[in-house]
Amino acid sequence: MSDYSDLLKSARMLATRDFLAGGSLEVLTDDDTVLIIFPITGGSVVDDVLSLDLQPNSLGLASGVAAKAQLKNSAGIVSISGLTVGLNGSGSSITMQNTSIEVGQSFSSAISTITHADISTECC
C-alpha cells in the first residue's frame, strides 16, 4: 500500500474539486439511461475527503432502477466512472433511500464525498 503525505492528499482532492467545478453527478440504470442529473454547486476539502455540494431539488428525468453513477466536468466529459449505486447502508459508492426512480420525482438534498484513493498495482 502507498503512503501519501497529508499535504499531497489535500492537494489532489483540491485539484479534483476544481476539475469537477460546474460539472454534474449522473445516476444511471444498468443500460446507461440517465435517471437524475445533480449539478455540482460547490465543494470543500478537509484532509483527504472532498465533499461536493449538489443542487437540491433535482428531478428524475426517466423512470428506472438506479444502478451506477458517474461524475462529469463542466465540459460534460465523464471524469469518474464505475461508481455503484445502492440503498443506504449498502456500501455502494452512491447511496439512496430508494433506488427506484420515477420521472419528475424530486430529490431534496444531496452531498457526495470522495476520499483520496490509494494506488494498487497487480504485477507479474
Side-chain angles (χ1 to χ4, degrees):
M1 179 156 63
S2 304
D3 191 18
Y4 293 91
S5 72
D6 291 340
L7 186 59
L8 180 57
K9 289 178 188 178
S10 291
R12 288 180 72 182
M13 299 316 314
L14 286 167
T16 301
R17 179 201 61 194
D18 294 347
F19 186 79
L20 293 172
S24 62
L25 168 68
E26 293 184 348
V27 177
L28 307 102
T29 63
D30 272 332
D31 67 356
D32 296 328
T33 300
V34 177
L35 298 172
I36 315 160
I37 298 174
F38 293 101
I40 297 171
T41 60
S44 60
V45 174
V46 176
D47 299 323
D48 64 345
V49 178
L50 164 59
S51 295
L52 292 173
D53 299 326
L54 305 175
Q55 179 178 310
N57 301 316
S58 294
L59 299 177
L61 302 173
S63 295
V65 177
K68 57 187 176 179
Q70 59 191 13
L71 285 159
K72 290 184 172 182
N73 67 10
S74 62
I77 297 169
V78 175
S79 303
I80 300 174
S81 60
L83 301 171
T84 58
V85 176
L87 296 172
N88 290 343
S90 67
S92 296
S93 306
I94 307 292
T95 58
M96 305 175 76
Q97 290 179 339
N98 181 2
T99 56
S100 295
I101 310 304
E102 297 296 327
V103 171
Q105 181 178 352
S106 180
F107 295 86
S108 59
S109 64
I111 298 174
S112 179
T113 59
I114 302 170
T115 302
H116 185 275
D118 192 12
I119 296 174
S120 66
T121 303
E122 229 176 88
C123 177
C124 314

